[in-house]
Amino acid sequence: KAELELTPSLENCLSAEKRLEKKKQLLNKRLLLEHAQANIWEEIVLPEHDSFTEYLFAVTQFAYVTCFSVILPITPLIVLFNHLLNMRLDAFKLCRGRRRPLALKTGGIGVWNHVLHVVTVIAILTNCSLMALTSSQFSWLANEIGTLGVFALAIGWEHFMLLVKYIMQLTVSRMPQTVQDEIRRK
């Protein structure tokens, strides 16, 4: 008889514990939901991500390296450290300071590809000119064939380098062979 009297009170105690546990779970779920919604609203008010500045910065650094590494050979190293630092800062900005960008399917980098081709042509022109006009190795040649001869040699070398650039541009595939094989298989 004593056992029968303890059973209902034990059941009440267990059911009260279960109810308390369910309340805790519901409260935790509610807090998690409120927290998630707060994060979403915080992200919505952030400014939208625009990759134009990152592309512009990368192209400017590429132009510095290709155009002026003849004058200052340490330029690529300086640009490398600068790019690594900016990469980390951009990652932080993208994760914490901007809205997440929507993923869009694109065929490449768009007009920036043409800008890079223009920069390479300008780099060939400036490098050939700087080599011909400032290099001490060409000073003896200027004495032999004259200034006009050095200018003609620089123009000829520049045209040869442009030819090499365009041949490489035509022969090197834009897509790796493994990607082309995968596309053909599908």
Side-chain angles (χ1 to χ4, degrees):
K1 215 174 184 182
E3 286 179 22
L4 290 177
E5 289 176 11
L6 288 177
T7 305
S9 65
L10 186 60
E11 282 180 15
N12 284 341
C13 184
L14 287 176
S15 63
E17 286 179 14
K18 284 183 182 178
R19 279 184 273 154
L20 183 63
E21 186 65 33
K22 281 193 176 192
K23 281 183 182 180
K24 284 182 182 178
Q25 287 177 350
L26 284 173
L27 184 63
N28 285 340
K29 286 181 182 178
R30 184 172 156 224
L31 288 173
L32 286 173
L33 182 62
E34 285 176 3
H35 183 67
Q37 288 174 344
N39 286 343
I40 290 170
W41 285 111
E42 287 173 7
E43 189 174 332
I44 285 175
V45 297
L46 292 174
E48 195 172 318
H49 175 71
D50 183 25
S51 61
F52 178 80
T53 55
E54 282 92 7
Y55 277 118
L56 185 64
F57 193 73
V59 168
T60 305
Q61 285 186 339
F62 177 72
Y64 284 146
V65 168
T66 56
C67 291
F68 303 115
S69 60
V70 171
I71 295 172
L72 186 65
I74 199 168
T75 302
L77 187 63
I78 294 168
V79 168
L80 174 68
F81 287 132
N82 191 3
H83 187 67
L84 291 174
L85 177 68
N86 277 327
M87 203 167 57
R88 298 305 302 168
L89 292 174
D90 288 342
F92 179 78
K93 178 177 72 174
L94 190 60
C95 292
R96 302 278 187 221
R98 297 279 186 260
R99 240 184 289 163
R100 281 181 244 169
L102 297 174
L104 301 172
K105 188 174 183 177
T106 62
I109 58 174
V111 74
W112 291 104
N113 194 25
H114 301 296
V115 172
L116 288 172
H117 287 301
V118 169
V119 167
T120 56
V121 170
I122 292 171
I124 290 172
L125 295 173
T126 57
N127 283 326
C128 290
S129 300
L130 288 171
M131 290 283 290
L133 297 174
T134 62
S135 177
S136 63
Q137 296 172 352
F138 283 96
S139 62
W140 68 269
L141 191 60
N143 294 335
E144 295 287 324
I145 60 175
T147 309
L148 191 59
V150 171
F151 182 72
L153 185 66
I155 296 290
W157 181 251
E158 169 258 325
H159 276 69
F160 175 72
M161 293 305 292
L162 285 173
L163 177 68
V164 168
K165 177 215 179 292
Y166 285 117
I167 287 173
M168 287 178 63
Q169 184 178 335
L170 292 174
T171 57
V172 175
S173 176
R174 292 179 181 266
M175 210 179 301
Q177 188 64 38
T178 56
V179 174
Q180 288 177 357
D181 293 341
E182 201 58 40
I183 289 173
R184 276 190 218 120
R185 218 182 313 158
K186 288 182 181 181

